Amino acid sequence: MIENKEEILPDLIKKYESGKTLLELGHEYKLAPKTISGWLKASGVKMRISGSRKIEIDRELLQRMADEGMSQVEICEKLNISTSTMSVRMKEYGIKINRDARKKRKTEEEPMEEEPVIKPGKQKKRCGSCVFRAARNAVNGCNYSSIIERCRLQKPEECTFYERGRRIDPKSARASKKRAEVWAEWEKIGDRA
């Protein structure tokens, strides 16, 4: 054991409280970090959580960015910090993203896009979220004909019956209801023609 513990302890405390880590102090004094930790605890020094150094972020800058409607990801990229650090600081400072400014920024930056045109090669992805999709391998993976009880008279690539939603089982009450809706629509169209 070191004979001059009492001589170096005040210096250890001063350096630890100024921000040096136990590992850095261990290298400097040629002692194990565990030994230094024990001495500091015995002296009543409040120990830091292992591996945590608080990253300081200017509160005014953070508030300004949030008021401009920047997302947390955008702020993190500008300040070169992690999203977890950003979340902690925003909670700590009581800062919230200005949602109205964010919506306004989005509409100014990105013009409204039209309905995307589905190319024949991309049809399978669209069918995967359609209410008429088949649970198993049906004709072209589609249950439209069995639910509506009429042939759809078109290839899957040219499908105009796509409707996003939960899959309809052809034997369910939802299928009967859907069939009635579609037939009523067809009757309206037939009356106009």
Side-chain angles (χ1 to χ4, degrees):
M1 176 145 180
I2 305 263
E3 294 177 21
N4 58 355
K5 171 185 167 187
E6 287 74 27
E7 291 176 15
I8 62 170
L9 189 57
D11 196 36
L12 278 173
I13 293 170
K14 185 178 174 185
K15 288 182 178 180
Y16 181 77
E17 288 177 344
S18 71
K20 279 206 169 190
T21 65
L22 293 173
L23 193 60
E24 291 169 340
L25 292 171
H27 285 299
E28 186 178 331
Y29 289 96
K30 299 195 180 357
L31 294 169
K34 190 84 172 161
T35 303
I36 297 171
S37 172
W39 290 357
L40 294 174
K41 285 178 187 175
S43 299
V45 175
K46 186 179 179 198
M47 303 302 291
R48 293 188 300 265
I49 297 171
S50 176
S52 68
R53 283 193 177 182
K54 187 174 180 177
I55 297 172
E56 293 299 324
I57 302 170
D58 183 28
R59 186 180 190 147
E60 288 78 30
L61 175 65
L62 188 58
Q63 183 68 56
R64 192 170 2 103
M65 292 173 137
D67 288 344
E68 289 173 5
M70 292 177 72
S71 71
Q72 283 192 4
V73 173
E74 291 170 329
I75 294 170
C76 290
E77 288 172 358
K78 291 246 186 215
L79 300 176
N80 197 24
I81 56 173
S82 71
T83 52
S84 59
T85 300
M86 174 56 56
S87 296
V88 169
R89 291 300 168 268
M90 291 192 72
K91 285 179 188 173
E92 186 178 296
Y93 297 150
I95 297 173
K96 294 189 178 181
I97 301 288
N98 184 338
R99 302 284 180 209
D100 295 331
R102 181 157 174 68
K103 287 177 187 174
K104 187 177 177 184
R105 272 184 71 222
K106 274 201 158 197
T107 55
E108 289 172 359
E109 290 173 1
E110 301 169 12
M112 293 294 286
E113 294 181 18
E114 294 180 20
E115 182 72 24
V117 177
I118 305 295
K119 296 178 183 171
K122 302 286 184 184
Q123 191 62 30
K124 283 295 177 190
K125 286 186 178 179
R126 190 172 188 200
C127 290
S129 62
C130 183
V131 295
F132 300 113
R133 67 186 176 275
R136 292 187 184 85
N137 291 339
V139 177
N140 295 320
C142 185
N143 275 343
Y144 182 83
S145 298
S146 58
I147 292 171
I148 305 303
E149 296 178 349
R150 295 215 178 145
C151 181
R152 68 182 195 180
L153 300 172
Q154 57 189 199
K155 298 176 184 174
E157 301 87 47
E158 301 163 353
C159 179
T160 57
F161 305 114
Y162 172 80
E163 189 176 318
R164 185 178 175 87
R166 190 174 55 140
R167 189 183 79 78
I168 299 175
D169 184 1
K171 298 174 186 169
S172 70
R174 278 183 66 219
S176 301
K177 184 178 175 184
K178 189 66 176 174
R179 185 178 312 112
E181 286 174 15
V182 171
W183 285 15
E185 243 179 79
W186 284 347
E187 287 175 16
K188 285 180 191 176
I189 293 170
D191 291 342
R192 286 187 213 149

